[in-house]
Amino acid sequence: MSIQAIEDPKVKAFPTPAKPAEVIAFTAKVRRRFEPGAIAGKVASTLVPPAVVIVVMLVIWQIACSSPNASLPSPSQVWNEAYDLIAHPFFDYGPQDIGLAWRVLISLQRVAIGFGLAAIVGVALGALVGQSIWAMRGLDPVFQILRTVPPLAWLPLSLAAFRDSSPSAIFVIFITSIWPVIINTAVGVRNIPEDYRNVSRILRLNQLEFFVKIMVPAAAPYIFTGLRIGIGLSWLAIVAAEMLTGGVGIGFFIWDAWNSSRLPDIIVALAYIGVTGFCLDRLVAAVGAFVTRGTTAK
Amino acid sequence: MTAYLKLDHIDKSFARGGQVSEVLKDIRLTIDKGEFVSIIGHSGCGKSTLLNLIAGLTKVTAGAVLLENKEVDSPGPERAVVFQNHSLLPWLTVYENINLAVSKVFGRTRSRAERHDWIMRNLDLVQMAHARDKRPAEISGGMKQRVGIARALAMEPKILLLDEPFGALDALTRAHLQDAVMDIHSRLGSTTIMITHDVDEAVLLSDRIVMMTNGPAATIGEVLAVPLARPRRRVELSSDRTFLRCREAVLKFLYERHRFVEAAE
């Protein structure tokens, strides 16, 4: 998901409007002109094509699943049987009977803790690996092996270690999302131009000042690529981990719905998961675009 | 008068995989306070290496760099460098780039208001105060180099080191910046060492021109004093006899006695 999203031209389009204006003054003035018609056209050109695709997909799905012995529910059936879940995301009828938005929020909370830790530890380790040739020689092979272990393979070990489902799920997120952060940060740090290092040496910046003032901003575009892949992976991992550990997250809801044969509920939950993952990806991308403005051009 | 900066029998060689290549050999030079010295030579003669040695960015193999009779072997703000490609940090504005240097060098000794005034003074000196909130990507190459000079001057260095500062600029912008550097030198009297491969630039700006022989094992071939009164104006000098004589001397050194031989191994 995240890899596709990075190639998405819309993502690249996001930071551009500010830039051409600064480099080439003439085109900027032309582009900055405010034209309501042009804006409406642009909105339509971004919204209409996906809307058409979704409608066509729903129609095909409806036709394919409308025979009486179809094994999966059709869209209209989902709408009728899971209407409560769709219309009331925030209901709360007791500890195990809550709206999907609450469940997503609980899962998001776990992601926030696990991914937050992964971001901090990942950037620190990545900086170490990028900066020190010996740290790289020692740690890089280990990282390369560990990062190929599938998220759920960590779950039994972490259940044994933590003896509780919630920290285990958080650990799985952590261990899943940390690798792309480490690897991308290391590449970013290794690519810091020698001139920036010379500037910091002439100014006699200490290690901490160099890290905060030179290394992190210079490697920021790489770091945010890693964070973006990481948040995508951690959202994949949380749903799978919750299916096994239980609790009230969105992943367990799907497992529970399967056990009680509520297929329409599963489909609604999938839509929630997809939209949330998309929003997380865009959120990290937007933060990255905001933080790294001006660093790409020389 | 004792020398302000002394390069005392400096050798520099790089070892790469068992192979040792000698870049500089027996460099001896003394520079007085307030002097403007250019180092000129063909590409690959190790003049940038020499500047890096003075800056402390690379260590000497033998010999020593002495500043006010003290050995320097690590980089520091009292030997500020203006890099050929400006090396401004692209995520900081012009003001913030200079502030990074000023708050590091004067963070303890000057108040916030004093530091602000000092940054603006240096920006004024290079006529870049108007662009204080712009990022490096938003200003031209010549302007970036001006900011690079302002950043170096803001460290209040004992020696200003210019590493082919105008090499990447077009001829007109280069002339403007040369005038700016001359003006700053006359106002501040800063001791300056400039690496260049432009003969006119060397003669116009320098009190002395240090001419390097070709590598490997390059050394100082000749030192030429430029006895031209300051302030110097480029238009008047273009027909000045002393200027032309100096120019001819450098050209003769570079193209007759030490002609650049491609792939001289």
Side-chain angles (χ1 to χ4, degrees), chain A residues 6-93:
Chain A
I6 289 166
E7 303 295 338
D8 190 337
K10 275 181 272 173
V11 182
K12 284 179 187 155
F14 188 74
T16 35
K19 259 192 234 143
E22 295 146 2
V23 184
I24 309 159
F26 289 113
T27 51
K29 275 179 189 148
V30 176
R31 277 188 207 170
R32 282 260 174 91
R33 196 176 292 158
F34 184 74
E35 283 173 32
I39 290 172
K42 206 176 177 189
V43 170
S45 70
T46 42
L47 288 185
V48 170
V52 169
V53 170
I54 289 171
V55 168
V56 169
M57 278 168 58
L58 285 174
V59 168
I60 294 172
W61 177 11
Q62 180 73 31
I63 295 167
C65 295
S66 56
S67 74
N69 52 2
S71 54
L72 293 175
S74 65
S76 59
Q77 212 181 331
V78 170
W79 180 261
N80 290 330
E81 291 181 22
Y83 180 75
D84 269 358
L85 287 174
I86 300 168
H88 306 290
F90 286 102
F91 69 80
D92 186 353
Y93 300 143

Side-chain angles (χ1 to χ4, degrees), chain A residues 22-23 195-199 201-206 209 213-215 217-219 291 293-298, chain B residues 56-57 74-81 83 85 87-91 100-101 104-105 135 137-138 144 151 155:
Chain A
E22 295 146 2
V23 184
D195 287 329
Y196 298 173
R197 294 181 187 275
N198 283 342
V199 167
R201 288 172 67 196
I202 284 169
L203 289 174
R204 294 209 180 110
L205 298 184
N206 59 38
E209 286 168 327
K213 291 182 175 164
I214 310 269
M215 195 193 281
V291 173
R293 73 199 129 83
T295 53
T296 40
K298 248 200 167 177
Chain B
L57 291 168
S74 64
E78 82 281 356
R79 278 158 291 131
V81 182
F83 298 93
N85 58 354
S87 292
L88 299 176
L89 304 177
W91 55 89
L100 178 70
K104 180 64 190 171
V105 178
R135 279 169 210 284
E138 301 167 26
K144 280 180 224 177
R151 177 173 65 183
M155 299 175 202

